[in-house]
Amino acid sequence: MQRGWLYSSMLLADGNRQIPSLHLPGDLAGEAALAWAQAPFALTAATDAVVHVIDKVVFRSLFERQPRLAMLLHALAQVERVALSDRLASIGRTPAKARVATLIVDALRRLRAYGGQTGGEFSLPLTQEESGDVTGLTAVHVNRMMRLLVEDGLIARTNGCICVLDEDRLAQIARPIDRYQTIDTRWLPPAPAG
Amino acid sequence: MQRGWLYSSMLLADGNRQIPSLHLPGDLAGEAALAWAQAPFALTAATDAVVHVIDKVVFRSLFERQPRLAMLLHALAQVERVALSDRLASIGRTPAKARVATLIVDALRRLRAYGGQTGGEFSLPLTQEESGDVTGLTAVHVNRMMRLLVEDGLIARTNGCICVLDEDRLAQIARPIDRYQTIDTRWLPPAPAG
DNA sequence: CGACGGCTTGAGAATACTCAATATCGGTGG
DNA sequence: CCACCGATATTGAGTATTCTCAAGCCGTCG
């Protein structure tokens, strides 16, 4: 996708909803649909968005003609698996304040990674209900946690925009996972010239 | 892997642990390590286990020479992504009793899928501490929830073995996720003869 | 202006956690 | 064979976190 925010979501029988992942510009969204005839998640646009649609058949020819690209694609899937596991740890093993902090730091850093973002201020186009579905909290509790983060001087808020004031401290609250995330491509064949 | 139980785990800075996935016979474990020089998770054997080790370089030649297999591998990665998302929904949006029920039903059904399991009785070789790290609960609370499931007549326990007495009702408590999980392989090229 | 959706705040209830004591089990050494 | 040990399991009591319900607020859109 190229611009805007999407998210995938799944509905539980009791009406609860979980948002397993946010899709920001530069991401490949909805790839999980590859393996199923019916998409396993709903995809929702949180803002106006510009996406590029890829047909399943394109994947097939990519695997047949571009093995190196296919490998990279597969490696990317592993990266996303680890990202999902991180989120799992966040929801399963950290308190509410940390989860909200995680949501904010993650979004900021991913916006930066794509290149469009430089400072600490960005628009978070999710309702608190949606933020709760990401973090496994209720909207009310998301609200309270954000207020705490503001009171701590870690972030500032003005209608939908979030300004991260102390990213280090926020990140420290957010995700205390130790990991050495060096991407390893040495097992891949050399890139073609050019 | 061929026999036994493994699990991957990640350690948080505060000493907490999360187990993002269990690996049962027939699974491909540790594939997430493909993209990193240092494995993102620890892999622990919960029982004696027999595994077959695959070198990263083998993946490379597989992608170059067996595009169809590579596609299936990639599709499998998507299946696991959905499985992780399901677990996320379980931890983020269901109460403790449901999470423990999910752990049990999931394990049983996966053991069946590989072919080795037929009845409702199986050995759960995890301590309650480990079960808690899977479900995002404390060991003490896992214990209480299991007792509730026993009192409800859904399972029976005898030192490490679990007998599922009413799988339908257990599954209903466990995972109220509606999904049509039809595997779609129509976008793949036809299988080679034989 | 009024209606609506989302945000904010408070109070009380439910869920899950912590701490602590006891029980059980498998193994180990006398 | 028996006593002991460490690790795990079980149970209780009190606490903390998060949820639910409810009310009021705020900005937007008609």
Side-chain angles (χ1 to χ4, degrees), chain A residues 13 31 56 74 93 133 176 184, chain B residues 13 31 74 93 133 176 184:
Chain A
E31 205 194 0
K56 282 188 184 184
H74 192 62
R93 284 297 186 214
D133 289 336
D184 175 23
Chain B
E31 204 194 359
H74 192 61
R93 284 296 186 216
D133 290 336
D184 176 22

Side-chain angles (χ1 to χ4, degrees), chain A residues 18-22 77-95 98-103 105-107 109-110 134-136 171 173-183, chain B residues 8-14 16-21 32 36 38-42 80-81 84-85 87-89 91-92 133-134 136:
Chain A
Q18 174 72 39
I19 294 180
S21 46
L22 300 174
Q78 304 309 323
V79 172
E80 301 203 351
R81 178 193 302 203
V82 173
L84 262 182
S85 299
D86 280 358
R87 184 182 293 289
L88 203 67
S90 172
I91 293 184
R93 284 297 186 214
T94 73
R99 298 190 214 171
V100 174
T102 298
L103 172 63
V105 174
D106 249 41
R109 293 190 170 166
R110 286 173 62 194
V134 174
T135 54
I173 288 180
R175 174 174 312 199
I177 296 182
D178 287 327
R179 181 171 306 132
Y180 311 96
Q181 293 200 349
T182 328
I183 302 277
Chain B
S8 43
S9 68
M10 45 212 298
L11 210 57
L12 283 70
D14 59 7
N16 264 329
R17 186 174 60 161
Q18 174 72 39
I19 294 181
S21 45
W36 281 277
Q38 307 205 231
F41 310 123
E80 301 202 350
R81 178 193 299 203
L84 262 182
S85 300
R87 183 183 296 289
L88 204 67
I91 293 183
D133 290 336
V134 173

